[in-house]
């Protein structure tokens, strides 16, 4: 902007001087006057006056890089537990305790192998037979007293409603519970946890 003003002023001055100096001759053409005016400018201003006006280039638009979602890892799926027979028992490897009613025996199982037993048991008498099936341990009660029969049930491990492993007579049948010796009852009490599978077979 400044260069244009200076150029305009010089052109006017140059034209005025040329016009006043041309008394007897022909008036200079507009082109000659402009060239004369430019010659009066310093070299830097001459280049600016002669150089064609180039419009400023607009900045290139900023294009955002496409957002690429991170790959979602595949969910880890645990391999299904395959139940297999545990050697020496009638139960499968997913059980933690095994009861065989026909032989009056019980075992503890860990990692698909017998960890304790077999130990002798007694089960439910006629009218109170211990039902076969697979159940889970629900709770423990070390010094349990039966609210129905008002009888002590030390080291109780309940796994099917009111049916539990506990210390009891090995010569008399129960009202459905699994009687164990004191030593075995303590072992079952300390080994089994809530949620463990108890398998009862005929």
């Amino acid at each position: 902007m400044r260069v244009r003003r200076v150029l305009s002023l010089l052109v006017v001055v140059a034209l005025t001087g040329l016009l006043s100096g041309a008394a007897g001759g022909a008036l200079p053409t507009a082109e000659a006057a402009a060239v004369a005016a430019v010659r009066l400018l310093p070299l830097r201003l001459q280049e600016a006056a002669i150089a064609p006006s180039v419009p400023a280039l607009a900045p290139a638009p900023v294009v955002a890089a496409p957002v690429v979602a991170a790959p979602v890892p595949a969910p880890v799926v645990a391999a299904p537990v395959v139940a297999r027979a545990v050697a020496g028992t009638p139960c499968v490897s997913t059980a933690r305790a095994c009861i065989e009613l026909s032989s009056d025996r019980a075992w503890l199982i860990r990692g698909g192998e017998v960890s304790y037993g077999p130990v002798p048991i007694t089960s439910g008498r006629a009218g109170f037979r211990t039902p076969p099936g697979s159940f889970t341990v629900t709770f423990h009660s070390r010094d349990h007293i039966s609210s129905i029969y008002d009888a002590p049930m030390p080291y109780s491990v309940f796994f099917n409603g009111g049916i539990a492993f506990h210390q009891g007579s090995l010569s008399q049948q129960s009202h459905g519970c699994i009687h164990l010796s004191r030593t075995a009852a303590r072992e079952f009490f300390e080994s089994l946890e809530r949620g463990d599978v108890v398998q009862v077979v005929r």
Side-chain angles (χ1 to χ4, degrees), residues 5 11 25 27 29 37 72 75 83-85 108 112 117 122 128 150 161 168 173 178 183 191-193:
R5 287 182 185 173
V11 167
L27 290 176
T29 62
V72 178
R84 57 180 175 77
L108 287 175
T122 54
F128 300 94
D150 193 28
Q173 290 185 303
I178 302 300
T183 301
S191 298
L192 294 175
E193 298 179 358

Side-chain angles (χ1 to χ4, degrees), residues 21-153:
L27 290 176
T29 62
E31 182 179 333
V35 170
V38 168
R39 284 183 181 160
L40 296 175
L41 294 173
L43 181 61
R44 183 174 57 83
L45 292 179
Q46 287 182 25
E47 290 173 353
I50 296 170
S53 176
V54 178
L57 295 176
V62 177
V63 179
V67 177
V68 179
V72 178
V76 177
V77 179
V81 177
V82 178
R84 57 180 175 77
V86 177
T89 78
C91 296
V92 295
S93 57
T94 52
R96 279 284 286 118
C98 175
I99 301 164
E100 186 175 51
L101 299 173
S102 60
S103 66
D104 290 327
R105 296 184 298 171
W107 298 259
L108 287 175
I109 299 168
R110 184 179 296 277
E113 297 181 355
V114 173
S115 61
Y116 182 75
V119 293
I121 65 163
T122 54
S123 58
R125 65 185 70 166
F128 300 94
R129 297 296 184 197
T130 306
S134 290
F135 311 93
T136 55
V137 173
T138 52
F139 71 100
H140 297 63
S141 180
R142 184 183 296 273
D143 299 308
H144 193 77
I145 304 293
S146 171
S147 59
I148 299 174
Y149 305 106
D150 193 28
M153 297 169 57

Side-chain angles (χ1 to χ4, degrees), residues 144-170:
H144 193 77
I145 304 293
S146 171
S147 59
I148 299 174
Y149 305 106
D150 193 28
M153 297 169 57
Y155 302 106
S156 287
V157 180
F158 289 86
F159 60 86
N160 180 11
I163 296 177
F165 291 107
H166 65 83
Q167 178 185 335
S169 172
L170 293 178

